[in-house]
Every structure is written in structure tokens, then in C-alpha cells.
Amino acid sequence: MSKKRLVIVGNGMAPGRLLEHLFEASSDGFDVTIFNAEPRVNYDRIMLSPVLSGEKTYEDIIIHDDAWYAQHNITLHKGAKVTQIDRANKTVTTETGVTESYDKLVLATGSNPFIIPCPGHDLKGVLAYRDLDDTEAMMVAAQKGGRAIVIGGGLLGLEAAAGLKMQGMDVTVLHLMPTLMERQLDTSAGYLLEKELERRGIDIRCEANTKQILGTETVEGVELDDGTVIHADLVVMAVGIRPNMQLAQDAGLEVNRGIVTNAAMQTSDPDIYSVGECAEVGGMVYGLVAPLYQMARVAAGHLAGNTDGAFAHQETPTKLKVTGVDLYSVGDFAEGADRDDIVLRDAKAGTYKRVILQDNKIIGAVLYGATEDGAWYNEMLKSGEDIAEMRDTLIFGQAHQGGGAMDPLAAVANLADDAEICGCNGITKGQIVKVIGDKGLTSLAEVRAHTKASASCGTCTGLVEGVMALTLGDEFKLPEAEGMCGCTTHGHGYVRRMIKAKGLKSIPQVMQELEWSTPEGCAKCRPALNYYLLSDWPGEYVDDQQSRFINERIHANIQKDGTYSVVPRMFGGMTTADELRAIADVVDKYDVPSVKVTGGQRIDLLGVKKEQLIPVWKDLNDAGMVSGAAYAKGLRTVKTCVGKQWCRFGTQDSTQLGIDLERALWGSWAPAKLKLAVSGCPRNCAESTCKDIGIVCVDSGFEILYGGAAGLHIQGTTKMGTVATEKETIEYVCALTQYYRETGFYLERIYKWADRLGYDHINDLIMNDADARQGFYERFVYSQTFVQIDPWAERVAGAEAHEFAPMANIKLEAAE
Ligand SMILES: Cc1cc2nc3c(=O)[nH]c(=O)nc-3n(C[C@H](O)[C@H](O)[C@H](O)COP(=O)(O)OP(=O)(O)OC[C@H]3O[C@@H](n4cnc5c(N)ncnc54)[C@H](O)[C@@H]3O)c2cc1C
Ligand code: SF4
Ligand code: SF4
């Protein structure tokens, strides 16, 4: 029997969850086809704010990767917008003309962000905050700095504001109402939130009504109703969402505020279901995932033949995902004659708790600063428990019921089995305990995989761990991350993101904030942190010599007999008679035992004694030569061929381009060594196709290649693209280098970095996104202003003198 065809329009969080339930219920009931206007797989939209703030990456928030779709035989059309439903023939058609027939159809088109139709709303630089494209556009805009204006002081607006601030922009929030997040917070909590955000340097303006957005092509500012003009380089509108129901409406389905469904999530056409923010059920539309996941469960049950499930409204708590701001709000907190409330304020601690009661039952709770009792209040709100007996101690929280304070695990132990632990996914304590027992789970990752608890916004992770610790005792394994080294459980990616996101500017600060387990770090993490700080805070962070390996500290490579090798820079592999004479004089004067021409087209003086280093460098400096940085995790050489100046095959002046590239790049620190080459034609005499970055000149311009390796690992380069001029070549290569510098892990060569990030993504970003490229280039040029100083000359002038003085003769001193 052939399978039924299930077509889904939209691939957001609701249908993703629907499919999981459906496959659980019947793994081979349907042939599934999904059309998604966004060109990607299903990701956790909730977590866009941590992506914006730099605390997570897109890869971290993918819910279903390509392998998942393949494993379930799902045909996923990415970047495919459905424009028509033919209900008579049961087909859907996309804007590019792809038609697919269905037996059952699910509409999960989500919402559209509302854009205030004021003058200037369509200028370049005015963005909404809805999907990954918006988030990436904000991140790119933030790279240029300047001021962002966020219109809307609700949940999304404030998360956007905090994220942009963490990305280094000046931020102003314009909010129409007198206090922030007025739909979730009362005025007291709104006030505390406003003060906290102002303390973080965000400019908050309430009762501010936007009149128009100023600018000719690109946004330049915002004018308010009262005539105030605020300059802006970016405007983010976060003023609400509207269910996306056009497709349903055009197909003649019943719509109202959203696509109208019954409690089984069926629309007015029983073969068409609707789930997610686009659906209206029981007269309500929703904008938080917990109810959407309930819709998904009900609809999946119906599709699988279980017609018992019905959607029922439940209050959903709100939490703001701004690191360090704890707020929790649930239910109704409006004043009313039949209501009373209990309030606890601790101005010094910055906490505020308010529980709203009606007939001795909790109908709402607003918590600011101390939110650990949110789940407990919500439990009682949902169960309608009479709180008369605990009224006196209710506001102090669960830990203070029945006597003195309890330990946190006792609080978890006291929760009933049907207490909801994960609000986003509707997972109860009993469900977690059961799955641990049934499946023998011992780690958080396993519990997440089996129940989804803490897998969405993650704010309940502590509670889930508490339930696990209680159930498993000593068997509970805390999550193990692959740490950078034994001093931390955090990986390189996390540490890099946190350095930026939390504005950490010194090694002790990183170790303190990210809870290093050793006081000083070790030889693995210190050089990595030193590099990350150098790369992220040019001009502010001062290089820590003690966090460098010996070769980088001494500015020469130590050889196996304890002497050093000295390699002066020869830009583009070119030299002169004067330079050669000076090198020959140094060889004679200091009796240098070996002189060798290197693979990178320069001259290596081998066997120099440590105490000779400074005089040798001085003589070379005097002849105009600087360090070749043959020891550096940074630019080493730019190898060139003779190019069109001498070679009959040469298409461009490859030698001059190599010199210019080396002049632009020398001194730059990178995650690992960086070797370049420029060949004058595809005969490739400079071996460009196995370098970290290679240029092959062609008649039409310059091919830029990268990701080659010719050491222990051998690999040819991948082409990034072709540009027309030498100037562009330098700009694109610097932008590529800067992207590598900003996102590479310490000691990760460029080919490994590109494998991790994806060549297509890198190519697209550097070749096609002019704003991003410009940002990288400008940051590269800026950071070069601090490092293009010859370390030899500095040492000759006396810097780090202790490194070069002979060690004290301890035996002699001791004898005296
Ligand atoms: C920044 C941000 C933070 C958030 N934080 C929270 C939070 O903390 N807690 C919480 O509970 N919720 C939060 N939300 C809300 C939550 O993410 C949404 O409620 C949820 O993702 C909606 O899921 P959905 O499946 O209904 O729609 P969506 O996830 O919006 O997916 C709809 C998809 O359908 C596609 N589509 C639309 N029309 C068509 C068409 N005609 N053809 C093909 N495809 C189409 C769209 O491109 C989109 O990919 C947040 C949202 C944002 C943007
Ligand atoms: S790469 Fe081409 S231009 Fe350069 S030396 Fe070789 S043949 Fe000549
Ligand atoms: S190839 Fe090996 S032996 Fe030769 S210089 Fe490099 S590391 Fe040393």
C-alpha cells in the first residue's frame, strides 16, 4: 500500500516538533515533503538572541540537520515559498512553479514581523528581528560600530538591544509605553529592568513615539513625535508580529486573527491542519513555543489516527534571555478590586517578587532578580491550589515552606510529579524521572535527547540537573565539554565567543569569569587566550610575553643544539646587493656556521648563539632589514615567481603583488602560521595551490585560493573567487585573513578552519557580501597599525632585556 502524502508549508519550530511526534507514533505512515521559504533546516529561533550577542553560533542552534531529514526520507525544499493551494486538486505550488500533491497538508507559516509604516521604514539599514538573516544582518552592521536604535521595548526588542550592545554598538531603545515589557511586567519590575539595562549602557527612552526614519538611501536617524532627532546607523523594529495567514486566506480557509482551527488543529478544511504562530485556536493566537508545541503534539496525534488529543489554553511564563538579567512573569498581574497581592522588595539586592492572588489562588507572578521560585508559583497557578495556609511565607519561596531554608535539591524533591520543569517543551518532573529509569540515562545530553527538557531556551537546565541529581545520586554525570585544556571544560569556540560577548580584556579576567580551575592556566590555554585577546582587542590588550612559546618570546627559532636561526624578511622573496652584503658581513662577523636559502625564498642564518642575537639583529636592522617572523603564529612568507616582468608566460606582476601583500600582512598574529604565494600564471611556479592563501594570476585578473597544506597533511587549495585588480586582491586577502583571525581556534591552520566553517560559507561571505568584507578589511587594517613594529628593533632598544641576558651563574653566587 502506498504511503499517504503529507505536505508541510513552513519549517519552523512547530512543524519540526510535529514531525518528531508523528515519527514516534508511526515511523512510516507518511511520505513527507516540506517547503520552507527560509533557505535552511529547522533551527531554534528562540536562541537567535544568544547568536546575536555572540554567545552561540548558528550551528549550535540547529534542531534538525540535513542528516535527520535524510534519515526520515523527508524531501525538504529549502528557500521555496508556497504561493498557492489548490484545495480541489489537493496540491500546493511554489513561486517557482514546483507543484506537489497532498493527502494531508499542514500550514505552519509562522508570523511576519510588524513594520511601522512610517516614512523611511524601507530605507537600507532598517531591519526586523525574526530570522537568521535578520540576525546576521545585525551582526554585520554591528561590525562597523555606530549607533543602533531598537524600536520596541518588549522581549524581542530588549534581546536585540542587549545583543547589539554586546556586539559593541551604542544602543537606544524607543518604547511607546511608560515602562518596558508592560505586557509581561508590572511597573515596578519594568522600572528595575530599565535601570539594569541603563547600567549596562543602553539608552532607554519610554513614551517615545517614532514619527519617521531619516535618511536618503540608508538610515541616518530617527525623528520622534516631539521633534527629537537621534542619529542611527541601524534601526531594528521589534514592535510585534502578525500571523502569516495570506496563503490560507487566498485558499478560502477560514481566517480571523490567524488561521482558524478546531481543538484538533484542523482548519475549516479537515485535510488541512495549521500549527504554530499562524494558527488561531480557541480564539487565541500565540507567540511563545510552549503552546505551539502543544499544537504540534495534538496535530501529530490526529494525523497518526489518535483523535483524543485536544488543544487547551495554558498560561506560559516569559523569561528574558539577556545574560545576567533574571526575570520571570506568568499569568495575570493587572490590578483589580477582587485581587490582592503579596510583594517583597529588596532594593539593595535588586530583587522584586510579586504574587497576585484571587480567592486564595495564584493567578499571576512577577519575579525580578530572584526567579528560582517561578516554576513553583506557576505550578500552583496551573493547579489552582489554595494557598491560604502558606500565605504568610508564600512570597519567600518554596525553600521557606514548613520551616527554615532547605537545600536546593530538597526544593526539587518537593515538586510534585506533574510539576512542569521545562516550560518550552511541557516536560514534567515525572516524565524526566521515568525516562531516566526506563532508559538508564545518566547525562544531561541523554535526557535532552529523549525528552527535549532544557533543549529550547535552556533556562530550566539547572532544574533538570536537579531532578537528575535527585534521581541518580552519585551516578549523575555533569555535562562534559571538550575543554581547551585541563584548566577548563570550555572549548575554544565558547571561550572566543565569551571574550567578545562579556567584553573580557585580560587573561585573569577570562579565567575569573569563565571559572578556570587553575590559578594561572597552563602552556596550552595561556598562549591561546593571549592570541584571542590580541585578536579581539587590538590597541587595548597588551601582548603577554609570558604566554608565548620560547621562539615567539626570543623572536628566533631555537635549533636542536640550543642555538638559534635568524631569518630576515625579504618582501616577496626579493633582495638587493646591499642586503646580501650586510648578511655576508653578519655571517663573517659572528662566525655564523650555516647559511641556507629557505623554501619561503629567504636566507636563514643557522647556529647563532643567544647572546649574539641582539647584535646580529642590530646589524641587520642597520641595513634596513626586519624580522622575518619565521617563528610566528602569523604571517611567515609570501613566495612569488618572477611574473610578467621577466617571464614570457607571466600574465601579471606577481612579484610586486607578493611584495605588496607581504607589506600589508607582515606583523599580523593569526591562530597558526600563515604562508602565502603568488604565481604569475597557472604554471604555478610559486606553488600557490598548496599554500594557506595562494594567488594565481590569469589574464582576467587574480584567482584567490586558500586552504592548502603541504606539511604532514597534504591538500590542494580551494578557489575563493577571481578579482580584477591588485588592490582588490589585497583587500579580499586581508578580509579573509581577518575572518580567520577572528574565528579561528588557536593552532588551527586555515584549511582546518575552513573545513569547520565550510568553504561555501566563507567564499560567499568574502566574495559576495560587500559590507561584511569591508568590515573585515577595516578591522584588519586597524589592528595592523598596532603590530607592524619590528620586534628586533624593539629588543635592540632594550625591550624584554632579561630574555637575552646570560643566566646568572648560580653556583658562583652561592659560593661567595
Ligand atoms: C529573536 C526571537 C526570540 C524569541 N524568544 C522566545 C523565547 O524566549 N521563548 C519563546 O517561547 N518564544 C520565543 N520566540 C518565539 C518563537 O521563536 C516562535 O514562537 C516560534 O519559533 C514560532 O514557530 P512557528 O513554527 O510557528 O513559525 P516560524 O518559526 O516563524 O517558522 C515559519 C517558517 O515558515 C516559513 N514560511 C512562511 N510562509 C511560507 C510559505 N508561504 N512557504 C514556505 N515557507 C513559508 C518561514 O520562512 C519560516 O521559516 C522568539 C522569537 C524570536 C524571533
Ligand atoms: S608561474 Fe607562470 S609567470 Fe610565474 S614564473 Fe612560472 S611560468 Fe612564469
Ligand atoms: S621539514 Fe622537518 S626537519 Fe625539515 S625543517 Fe621542517 S620540521 Fe625541520
Side-chain angles (χ1 to χ4, degrees):
M1 197 182 78
S2 71
K3 288 189 200 174
K4 284 192 186 161
R5 282 155 307 174
L6 173 64
V7 170
I8 301 178
V9 183
N11 194 31
M13 299 181 74
R17 181 55 63 90
L18 180 151
L19 285 173
E20 287 176 11
H21 288 304
L22 190 62
F23 293 138
E24 256 168 44
S26 84
S27 57
D28 57 357
F30 287 97
D31 262 333
V32 182
T33 301
I34 307 176
F35 292 94
N36 195 30
E38 275 187 74
R40 51 185 71 90
V41 291
N42 178 22
Y43 61 93
D44 191 345
R45 196 176 299 281
I46 293 183
M47 299 310 272
L48 285 176
S49 297
V51 172
L52 175 63
S53 63
E55 289 163 279
K56 286 201 182 286
T57 64
Y58 168 60
E59 285 68 29
D60 294 334
I61 68 165
I62 288 176
I63 298 177
H64 298 135
D65 59 12
D66 285 309
W68 186 86
Y69 294 96
Q71 185 197 337
H72 292 94
N73 288 323
I74 298 170
T75 309
L76 171 61
H77 295 275
K78 297 178 191 167
K81 184 173 178 187
V82 171
T83 45
Q84 202 198 344
I85 303 170
D86 180 344
R87 285 168 54 199
N89 292 309
K90 293 186 126 187
T91 60
V92 299
T93 302
T94 68
E95 61 186 349
T96 56
V98 177
T99 296
E100 184 71 45
S101 55
Y102 65 83
D103 295 306
K104 300 284 177 193
L105 176 65
V106 175
L107 299 181
T109 47
S111 293
N112 291 321
F114 180 65
I115 299 290
I116 307 171
C118 62
H121 70 273
D122 47 3
L123 286 170
K124 192 167 175 246
V126 179
L127 298 173
Y129 188 20
R130 179 70 197 169
D131 58 23
L132 184 71
D133 294 330
D134 297 330
T135 311
E136 286 180 342
M138 281 190 244
M139 291 167 83
V140 167
Q143 283 167 5
K144 290 197 195 132
R147 175 165 299 276
I149 291 183
V150 177
I151 305 180
L155 181 107
L156 281 197
L158 296 182
E159 289 188 4
L164 289 166
K165 183 76 197 164
M166 280 167 102
Q167 292 283 351
M169 292 193 89
D170 294 326
V171 180
T172 295
V173 175
L174 304 178
H175 190 51
L176 192 58
M177 306 306 284
T179 52
L180 297 174
M181 286 183 74
E182 74 288 344
R183 284 169 58 199
Q184 293 90 7
L185 299 183
D186 59 15
T187 45
S188 299
Y191 173 80
L192 283 174
L193 176 61
E194 184 176 332
K195 291 296 138 204
E196 172 59 30
L197 295 174
E198 281 177 351
R199 204 181 56 72
R200 292 167 179 231
I202 298 175
D203 171 32
I204 308 275
R205 305 199 190 183
C206 290
E207 296 180 276
N209 194 6
T210 304
K211 184 174 168 200
Q212 61 172 326
I213 299 173
L214 307 168
T216 37
E217 267 180 33
T218 305
V219 63
E220 287 166 21
V222 170
E223 184 183 343
L224 305 181
D225 250 0
D226 65 5
T228 310
V229 171
I230 311 168
H231 160 79
D233 304 285
L234 170 72
V235 169
V236 179
M237 283 217 201
V239 286
I241 50 172
R242 299 282 181 272
N244 185 359
M245 56 189 188
Q246 192 64 48
L247 187 63
Q249 195 167 10
D250 293 348
L253 296 172
E254 186 187 344
V255 296
N256 182 33
R257 290 166 69 200
I259 305 170
V260 175
T261 73
N262 60 18
M265 306 315 300
Q266 278 165 309
T267 66
S268 53
D269 178 337
D271 285 329
I272 305 181
Y273 290 72
S274 179
V275 293
E277 284 184 349
C278 58
E280 175 182 323
V281 52
M284 307 265 287
V285 289
Y286 293 89
L288 293 171
V289 288
L292 312 188
Y293 282 169
Q294 202 202 133
M295 295 178 191
R297 193 166 52 235
V298 171
H302 272 253
L303 284 164
N306 165 17
T307 49
D308 291 344
F311 181 88
H313 170 78
Q314 282 195 333
E315 292 297 339
T316 306
T318 306
K319 302 160 201 159
L320 186 70
K321 299 183 300 303
V322 172
T323 307
V325 178
D326 290 329
L327 67 80
Y328 184 101
S329 143
V330 63
D332 188 352
F333 55 85
E335 310 265 336
D338 56 342
R339 300 169 173 196
D340 57 334
D341 49 17
I342 309 173
V343 178
L344 177 74
R345 288 176 209 272
D346 183 343
K348 205 164 170 202
T351 56
Y352 168 82
K353 291 168 94 176
R354 176 164 165 240
V355 179
I356 301 95
L357 306 171
Q358 191 172 35
D359 300 331
N360 279 329
K361 290 180 184 150
I362 297 178
I363 58 161
V366 180
L367 312 177
Y368 186 91
T371 55
E372 56 282 356
D373 286 310
W376 183 60
Y377 292 130
N378 188 28
E379 238 7 83
M380 289 189 280
L381 182 152
K382 283 200 287 190
S383 66
E385 187 173 334
D386 191 316
I387 53 84
E389 298 229 323
M390 60 172 115
R391 193 183 162 110
D392 290 351
T393 51
L394 182 70
I395 199 69
F396 300 114
Q398 190 182 15
H400 292 267
Q401 303 312 306
M406 297 190 296
D407 74 75
L409 272 191
V412 178
N414 268 8
L415 286 175
D417 263 4
D418 60 359
E420 196 170 83
I421 299 291
C422 171
C424 293
N425 294 289
I427 305 297
T428 62
K429 177 182 162 187
Q431 285 172 293
I432 298 176
V433 173
K434 182 165 185 312
V435 81
I436 291 173
D438 288 355
K439 311 258 180 206
L441 312 182
T442 53
S443 72
L444 180 66
E446 289 170 327
V447 170
R448 265 191 192 146
H450 280 87
T451 66
K452 298 282 173 216
S454 84
S456 296
C457 84
T459 42
C460 64
T461 305
L463 265 182
V464 178
E465 285 177 347
V467 175
M468 295 186 68
L470 204 72
T471 317
L472 286 164
D474 289 347
E475 277 179 67
F476 173 48
K477 285 191 226 140
L478 266 171
E480 276 178 33
E482 204 167 299
M484 285 170 59
C485 62
C487 307
T488 175
T489 51
H490 301 312
H492 286 267
Y494 180 83
V495 172
R496 280 218 85 163
R497 288 198 300 279
M498 285 302 135
I499 286 175
K500 275 303 248 192
K502 292 184 166 234
L504 308 177
K505 297 194 175 170
S506 70
I507 291 178
Q509 227 181 346
V510 176
M511 290 180 172
Q512 184 65 30
E513 282 285 322
L514 304 186
E515 298 174 347
W516 242 240
S517 62
T518 52
E520 295 292 337
C522 69
K524 264 190 175 172
C525 60
R526 279 196 81 101
L529 293 182
N530 189 47
Y531 167 68
Y532 297 151
L533 291 162
L534 266 178
S535 137
D536 284 345
W537 310 114
E540 288 185 69
Y541 176 71
V542 180
D543 192 6
D544 177 27
Q545 286 295 305
Q546 295 316 309
S547 299
R548 293 232 173 244
F549 291 124
I550 176 76
N551 290 348
E552 286 180 341
R553 273 210 318 268
I554 296 285
H555 300 282
N557 281 325
I558 192 159
Q559 301 299 309
K560 67 185 207 181
D561 64 353
T563 62
Y564 289 84
S565 92
V566 170
V567 185
R569 195 168 282 292
M570 284 178 179
F571 290 89
M574 293 296 286
T575 187
T576 61
D578 285 344
E579 283 183 356
L580 291 173
R581 235 176 251 116
I583 290 172
D585 288 346
V586 164
V587 172
D588 285 346
K589 182 166 164 191
Y590 299 97
D591 208 10
V592 176
S594 290
V595 183
K596 163 104 182 59
V597 175
T598 72
Q601 297 181 338
R602 32 202 207 171
I603 292 175
D604 191 352
L605 311 183
L606 287 149
V608 179
K609 296 188 187 73
K610 192 173 182 182
E611 55 274 23
Q612 293 177 324
L613 284 172
I614 290 199
V616 165
W617 293 342
K618 181 171 184 320
D619 289 0
L620 293 170
N621 273 169
D622 288 346
M625 281 177 274
V626 296
S627 167
Y631 43 79
K633 308 275 175 276
L635 180 79
R636 296 275 177 95
T637 57
V638 183
K639 188 170 175 174
T640 63
C641 75
V642 292
K644 86 169 177 194
Q645 200 187 352
W646 297 102
C647 174
R648 61 202 165 96
F649 298 113
T651 59
Q652 311 279 354
D653 190 350
S654 49
T655 317
Q656 189 57 46
L657 176 59
I659 294 170
D660 293 344
L661 273 170
E662 194 160 350
R663 290 212 180 278
L665 285 152
W666 78 270
S668 57
W669 295 108
K673 62 184 165 188
L674 200 57
K675 295 181 175 179
L676 274 67
V678 186
S679 297
C681 82
R683 285 169 187 78
N684 194 21
C685 294
E687 296 155 349
S688 303
T689 51
C690 63
K691 296 292 181 211
D692 294 298
I693 301 176
I695 312 294
V696 172
C697 304
V698 289
D699 286 325
S700 59
F702 305 85
E703 285 180 356
I704 304 176
L705 320 161
Y706 68 111
L712 289 173
H713 177 77
I714 298 178
Q715 151 174 337
T717 45
T718 297
K719 184 169 159 185
M720 187 168 83
T722 305
V723 295
T725 64
E726 286 188 20
K727 187 165 167 281
E728 282 172 307
T729 310
I730 293 170
E731 185 185 319
Y732 284 54
V733 167
C734 291
L736 172 69
T737 305
Q738 181 65 10
Y739 190 34
Y740 168 52
R741 297 180 69 227
E742 288 179 8
T743 52
F745 298 163
Y746 189 63
L747 299 184
E748 184 178 47
R749 290 293 290 270
I750 205 165
Y751 69 92
K752 287 195 181 155
W753 166 77
D755 279 346
R756 181 165 60 80
L757 267 65
Y759 283 90
D760 289 347
H761 157 74
I762 297 169
N763 299 351
D764 193 41
L765 188 70
I766 305 295
M767 295 305 300
N768 302 330
D769 188 335
D771 283 346
R773 184 176 60 244
Q774 183 67 16
F776 287 125
Y777 177 64
E778 282 171 8
R779 288 198 298 286
F780 182 79
V781 170
Y782 175 72
S783 84
Q784 284 298 83
T785 58
F786 302 100
V787 292
Q788 289 201 321
I789 299 162
D790 178 37
W792 289 354
E794 283 188 310
R795 280 11 174 220
V796 169
E800 305 288 335
H802 62 278
E803 291 285 4
F804 305 95
M807 291 257 280
N809 188 332
I810 295 169
K811 272 195 213 131
L812 251 185
E813 277 172 11
E816 275 170 7

